[in-house]
């Protein structure tokens, strides 16, 4: 039995097909999304070992491995990866994030805040593998995609679902412009044959409400307790500058006007302007 067969054997069919498929046959962007313990992250480890570590790139293109922080990346991805490949096949500088895997250089980066995109300014990205992608700031992922200029560049990411208005869902997964270059592979607990029925039942029982919908069923839903959750209708409750009432912002167009500011410490600052015309409040 080969080393590859030893790695792949425990996987379900969906994971096996993804791992064994050469990157040349993958789309530009591949996102593995779904429930916890469904083998998404381990799929990326195996794909990296079997194919991505040997995927040819232009001389100036970089390989990136991403997490919300270098620490979470190490804990969630690299420890398992290293245990599989063995000490003779990698070297890792935890301080700088520089990784050599089967002799190929990777850069391990964290994408925890709006300043994170500066880490990749000026570089050419040929290959990137990301864990917990839904947690990355929009600015980082946008910069990353813009840096993927070489022909054959590939992005692979895994994530649990978040709210349906998250930019990863609304601006990437559901964006028709991404559709020709994007594959989304949905994973569920049943896709992992290594979890026995009793353990699976315990995992399911541990989650209720929104958490069960997101982390067990893999659905993109609003958090329980979200303001206006049950009454929110995107068609009824949103407008644009063109559909906003004419004269609303002018003298006599509103009866009250105020501002709200969330300064932001570990997230972007948000500033809101409110106009109340007596029957409807408009927020910009």
């Amino acid at each position: 039995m080969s080393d590859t067969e030893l790695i792949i054997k425990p996987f379900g069919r969906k994971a096996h097909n993804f791992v064994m498929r050469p990157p040349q046959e993958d789309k530009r962007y591949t996102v593995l999304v779904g429930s916890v313990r469904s083998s998404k992250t381990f799929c990326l480890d195996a794909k990296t070992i079997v194919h991505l570590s040997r995927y040819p790139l232009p001389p100036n293109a970089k390989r990136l491995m991403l997490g919300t922080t270098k620490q979470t990346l190490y804990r969630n991805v690299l420890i398992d990866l290293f245990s599989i490949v063995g000490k003779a096949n990698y070297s890792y500088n935890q301080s700088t994030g520089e990784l050599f895997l089967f002799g190929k250089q990777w850069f391990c980066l964290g994408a925890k805040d709006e300043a994170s995109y500066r880490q990749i300014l000026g570089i050419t990205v040929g290959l990137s593998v990301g864990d917990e992608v839904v947690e990355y700031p929009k600015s980082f992922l946008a910069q990353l995609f813009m840096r993927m200029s070489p022909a054959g560049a590939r992005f692979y990411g895994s994530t649990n679902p978040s709210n349906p208005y998250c930019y990863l869902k609304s601006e990437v997964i559901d964006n028709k412009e991404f559709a020709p270059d994007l594959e989304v592979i949905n994973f569920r607990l049943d896709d992992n044959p290594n979890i026995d029925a009793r353990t699976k039942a315990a995992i399911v029982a541990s989650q209720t409400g929104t958490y069960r919908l997101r982390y067990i069923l893999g659905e993109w839903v609003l958090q329980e307790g979200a303001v206006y959750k049950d009454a929110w209708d995107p068609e009824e409750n949103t407008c644009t500058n063109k559909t906003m009432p004419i004269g609303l912002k002018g003298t006599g167009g509103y009866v009250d006007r105020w501002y709200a500011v969330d300064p932001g410490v570990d997230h972007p600052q948000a500033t809101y302007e409110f106009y109340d015309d007596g029957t409807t409040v408009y927020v910009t």
Side-chain angles (χ1 to χ4, degrees):
M1 182 176 291
S2 69
D3 291 342
T4 297
E5 289 172 327
L6 287 172
I7 295 169
I8 300 304
K9 185 178 179 182
F11 289 174
R13 178 54 52 185
K14 185 181 294 184
H16 180 277
N17 290 342
F18 164 71
V19 171
M20 296 305 293
R21 188 175 61 197
Q24 291 84 347
E25 298 178 14
D26 291 332
K27 292 197 173 184
R28 184 177 180 84
Y29 312 102
T30 302
V31 180
L32 313 183
V33 60
S35 62
V36 298
R37 316 313 304 165
S38 59
S39 75
K40 302 184 304 297
T41 300
F42 203 63
C43 277
L44 290 185
D45 277 347
K47 183 91 170 185
T48 300
I49 295 167
V50 175
H51 286 300
L52 302 185
S53 59
R54 299 169 179 83
Y55 185 51
L57 299 179
N60 65 325
K62 304 297 190 294
R63 294 175 175 83
L64 305 182
M65 204 164 289
L66 311 168
T68 50
T69 66
K70 283 191 295 185
Q71 290 75 19
T72 59
L73 176 65
Y74 180 76
R75 182 177 65 246
N76 296 350
V77 178
L78 296 182
I79 289 177
D80 288 338
L81 181 67
F82 296 161
S83 69
I84 296 171
V85 303
K87 293 183 178 180
N89 294 306
Y90 78 91
S91 65
Y92 179 55
N93 186 319
Q94 199 162 352
S95 176
T96 65
E98 187 176 24
L99 166 67
F100 283 90
L101 182 65
F102 297 115
K104 298 290 177 56
Q105 184 185 47
W106 294 73
F107 294 97
C108 299
L109 305 174
K112 66 178 181 178
D113 55 36
E114 290 294 328
S116 298
Y117 78 93
R118 296 174 184 171
Q119 301 174 92
I120 57 175
L121 289 176
I123 72 172
T124 299
V125 178
L127 178 62
S128 55
V129 178
D131 183 51
E132 299 181 351
V133 180
V134 77
E135 302 294 337
Y136 302 172
K138 176 181 175 181
S139 58
F140 182 88
L141 205 61
Q143 186 69 218
L144 176 66
F145 289 171
M146 188 164 55
R147 295 283 160 193
M148 292 173 54
S149 55
R154 295 288 185 268
F155 168 82
Y156 298 91
S158 66
T159 188
N160 299 123
S162 181
N163 78 76
Y165 300 103
C166 166
Y167 78 94
L168 180 64
K169 181 71 164 69
S170 62
E171 299 184 30
V172 178
I173 293 176
D174 293 341
N175 188 340
K176 293 181 180 179
E177 294 183 1
F178 271 90
D181 297 314
L182 171 68
E183 179 182 17
V184 178
I185 305 176
N186 294 292
F187 282 82
R188 301 293 180 268
L189 271 173
D190 289 338
D191 291 313
N192 186 351
N194 299 295
I195 300 180
D196 60 63
R198 186 174 181 179
T199 302
K200 187 182 302 182
I203 293 173
V204 172
S206 71
Q207 304 298 312
T208 60
T210 301
Y211 296 105
R212 176 171 291 193
L213 293 174
R214 286 185 183 177
Y215 300 134
I216 303 300
L217 300 181
E219 297 180 4
W220 297 81
V221 294
L222 289 170
Q223 184 71 35
E224 280 188 355
V227 180
Y228 312 129
K229 173 188 173 185
D230 296 328
W232 180 262
D233 182 337
E235 296 294 330
E236 183 71 21
N237 300 120
T238 59
C239 65
T240 67
N241 286 331
K242 291 183 179 180
T243 59
M244 196 173 283
I246 297 176
L248 173 69
K249 297 183 179 182
T251 303
Y254 57 87
V255 296
D256 202 1
R257 175 187 182 188
W258 69 96
Y259 295 89
V261 179
D262 180 356
V265 177
D266 57 358
H267 57 82
Q269 175 172 304
T271 303
Y272 301 92
E273 184 176 27
F274 297 79
Y275 289 89
D276 182 355
D277 68 2
T279 58
T280 304
V281 176
Y282 296 85
V283 185
T284 59

